[in-house]
Amino acid sequence: MKKTRELYLSKDQFDETHYSSCFRETYLLSANEALHLPVWPIVVLRSDWKYRWFRHENYSYLALEIPLEGELKIVQRDHEFLLKRGDIGLIHPGEDSLLKCGPSFYCQKTSIVFTGALLADLLATSRLTTKTMIHPSDFESFLRVAGEIEMLLKSKDRRNIPEIIGKAMQMLMMLAEENALPSDDLFERAQDLLRNNIMHPFPITRIAKALGIDSSTLYRMFLRHLQISPGEYVRRFRIQKAKHLLKNTRYPVHVIASETGFRTAAAFCAEFRKRTGITPLAYRKNPDAKNKISFA
């Protein structure tokens, strides 16, 4: 694979003629200068993408990708996830990733790129290294801090450096706080309720009510732990259970479809093939064959 240049570079390296029609950037210090600070937002980059994509290889920084309109797909750590307004994607130092527009083929986004002498330690101690997407409970407050950083960088006033460092720390700590896991017991109960009701699935509102929380809290809980929604968790679990039944029983396909919550055998076969790449009968004949991962 041919290595492409990184999009987020220091001001000295930024190719203005190539990107000026699509991007607006804000700098104050170069990447080399910023390396001596504890943590520093090198650039706040606003961009409009139409049918665009970009690949990072062995990325040098931490990038926060913040969609404002449309959708952004990120492929990282062999997993593809879709971001919309309200989500924040994390592109980690030293990793490969692919960014592209979502189903609407359009994305307006803000990107904030961090470096600094203490960045690696901050990411590790806050467990942000385990995350590729976060859904903040107060997205507007997060955007407000991003805007404050942008305005301070635009000032080109080096007297603002201490305040900018403080804002950068505040932003990372906001993410770290969102990454603080809810009660493991509550999350385990939520999983049990969803798994135990796949044949007659409860609406998400009823699951949340049974746990004593609201639907949005339940949704954020699954995003924090697994980076998927409760509905997607159920869909993946159905396929996992179907695999187990196909491998360990001789139940007909229509019975397995019913046991895993599908209304018809045809619907089950279509979903199974979509998620694994093979039919249920082909899987039964060769369950150890390499196929797509259906549950993360």
Side-chain angles (χ1 to χ4, degrees), residues 31-42:
N32 288 337
E33 291 177 291
L35 280 174
H36 302 289
L37 299 173
V39 62
W40 183 258
I42 307 172

Side-chain angles (χ1 to χ4, degrees), residues 198-210:
I198 62 168
M199 290 181 64
H200 308 286
F202 286 177
I204 296 301
T205 52
R206 287 184 63 188
I207 297 289
K209 186 176 181 181

Side-chain angles (χ1 to χ4, degrees), residues 4 19 47 49 102 190 203:
T4 57
Y19 292 116
S47 55
W49 281 18

Side-chain angles (χ1 to χ4, degrees), residues 159-178:
R159 291 174 296 181
N160 289 330
I161 288 176
E163 186 175 359
I164 294 171
I165 293 173
K167 295 289 184 184
M169 288 290 295
Q170 180 184 358
M171 178 168 281
L172 293 177
M173 290 306 99
M174 290 172 74
L175 291 179
E177 183 179 353
E178 293 292 336

